[in-house]
Amino acid sequence: DVIRSYIAAHKSLSVGSLPTATIVFKGTRLGVRPAPVVASFSARGPNPESPEILKPDVIAPGLNILAAWPDRVGPSGIPSDHRRTEFNILSGTSMACPHVSGLAALLKAAHPDWSPAAIKSALMTTAYTVDNKGDPMLDESNGNVSSVFDYGAGHVHPEKALDPGLVYDISVYDYVDFLCNSNYTTKNIKVITRKIADCSGAKKAGHSGNLNYPTLSAVFQQYGKHKMSTHFIRTVTNVGDPNSVYKVTIKPPEGMVVTVKPDKLSFRRVGQKLNFLVRVQTREVKLSPGSSLVKSGSIIWSDGKHIVTSPLVVTMQQPLD
């Protein structure tokens, strides 16, 4: 209102008195607290198509990012904008994506033998969920504490991702089994694989949630059941130290029983793969028809040097009568 009043008071005066504005650069702000926060525009979960795969995976810087800009496109991106600039400041998931892509390139340079899934795993299992005040990250959209559907595994941590200790690797065949267990037909899958898919081994993989993802997501349809359970099978590859022993710490979602077998993984060499099973047990909760309840916890493996964290999300759904 003050600015509008100033403009209105000066716009009809002589040229020398026309309204003016000045932008003063006061330097880069450091030590802003709390930071980071989940931006209001950040893409959110859950994953409607495949709820067994937690989304988002991670979050990364995406607010007011200064980046290179095409020299044939104006900063506003509209045809009538004939200005030209080498850089532009933008916000959005499209700005967070280049950050993560750059980190993936960094990890690939440091570990040329790592697959895309291993790189993704390293970024996810080393991410953090607390701000620089030591509190859970806030959600800018409402000012409340953010949730696993806001940040996924957390905010990326480049230095820790270079040495994650363990990674959850995934092969092409694992993805095919996932598509088979997601009820896609072989014709559907051929569109992606460009060859006939073999779904005969998919049942051995169990359900679609058994894709060797760094996160675990269970969805229970109550249907009048008083007790419900499911299990996940995961394989971790040692990319840390040889002769390392990892012990598990379980932080179960509230009111649920989570067990991990074995609870200790002993590696003899780098590159060795070991399996473990996670079982989730829960009881029926009172929900109105069509509603759901989400609770989260985590599975953490550590050898005393590396901390490998996997979020565990359980969604209870009450079908419509």
Side-chain angles (χ1 to χ4, degrees):
D1 290 340
V2 172
I3 294 173
R4 285 178 175 176
S5 298
Y6 168 71
I7 294 173
H10 288 75
K11 67 181 180 181
S12 60
L13 301 178
S14 60
V15 175
S17 301
L18 288 177
T20 60
T22 304
I23 296 176
V24 180
F25 179 60
K26 295 188 176 182
T28 301
R29 293 180 64 196
L30 300 174
V32 177
R33 295 162 71 91
V37 298
V38 181
S40 58
F41 52 75
S42 188
R44 311 300 171 104
N47 181 349
E49 294 298 325
S50 301
E52 299 84 6
I53 304 299
L54 175 64
K55 291 293 176 178
D57 292 324
V58 290
I59 58 172
L63 176 66
N64 291 340
I65 303 301
L66 178 66
W69 188 253
D71 56 9
R72 294 194 178 190
V73 180
S76 65
I78 58 177
S80 59
D81 187 354
H82 299 295
R83 296 173 297 170
R84 294 296 178 261
T85 179
E86 293 182 355
F87 294 90
N88 201 0
I89 294 178
L90 295 176
S91 299
T93 303
S94 299
M95 291 289 99
C97 179
H99 278 89
V100 177
S101 301
L103 293 180
L106 179 70
L107 293 180
K108 186 67 174 177
H111 305 283
D113 58 327
W114 280 13
S115 69
I119 291 171
K120 177 189 278 191
S121 174
L123 289 168
M124 291 172 67
T125 62
T126 58
Y128 61 92
T129 60
V130 296
D131 59 28
N132 54 6
K133 294 173 64 178
D135 299 324
M137 282 189 293
L138 295 179
D139 183 350
E140 185 186 50
S141 64
N142 54 28
N144 297 329
V145 172
S146 55
S147 74
V148 69
F149 284 149
D150 301 324
Y151 52 70
H155 191 286
V156 289
H157 193 305
E159 294 162 311
K160 287 186 177 180
L162 282 166
D163 183 22
L166 303 175
V167 293
Y168 294 80
D169 208 353
I170 304 175
S171 72
V172 172
Y173 303 103
D174 295 327
Y175 282 115
V176 171
D177 285 345
F178 166 75
L179 293 173
C180 292
N181 286 326
S182 299
N183 296 322
Y184 287 94
T185 66
T186 53
K187 186 177 181 179
N188 295 148
I189 299 171
K190 187 180 178 182
V191 174
I192 300 170
T193 61
R194 299 291 191 269
K195 60 182 180 181
I196 299 297
D198 181 8
C199 285
S200 60
K203 289 184 179 179
K204 290 183 180 179
H207 52 86
S208 56
N210 273 340
L211 180 67
N212 201 41
Y213 221 69
T215 55
L216 305 101
S217 176
V219 180
F220 293 110
Q221 300 278 355
Q222 298 201 137
Y223 288 115
K225 300 175 184 175
H226 298 297
K227 295 182 179 180
M228 291 156 285
S229 68
T230 190
H231 72 278
F232 301 93
I233 299 172
R234 290 291 188 268
T235 302
V236 283
T237 305
N238 181 23
V239 295
D241 304 318
N243 299 313
S244 53
V245 178
Y246 284 80
K247 296 181 180 179
V248 72
T249 299
I250 305 170
K251 296 182 179 179
E254 183 184 358
M256 300 177 188
V257 177
V258 178
T259 55
V260 176
K261 293 184 179 180
D263 59 4
K264 183 171 71 174
L265 300 173
S266 300
F267 294 93
R268 298 185 302 278
R269 56 182 173 81
V270 175
Q272 183 180 358
K273 297 178 182 291
L274 291 176
N275 302 329
F276 64 92
L277 183 144
V278 179
R279 184 171 296 280
V280 180
Q281 297 171 292
T282 185
R283 300 182 69 89
E284 181 185 25
V285 294
K286 287 187 177 181
L287 293 172
S288 58
S291 64
S292 62
L293 174 69
V294 178
K295 294 187 177 182
S296 62
S298 60
I299 303 292
I300 305 168
W301 292 99
S302 179
D303 63 348
K305 176 182 177 181
H306 305 92
I307 299 175
V308 188
T309 304
S310 292
L312 168 61
V313 183
V314 177
T315 303
M316 310 287 289
Q317 295 181 339
Q318 183 63 42
L320 291 169
D321 292 337

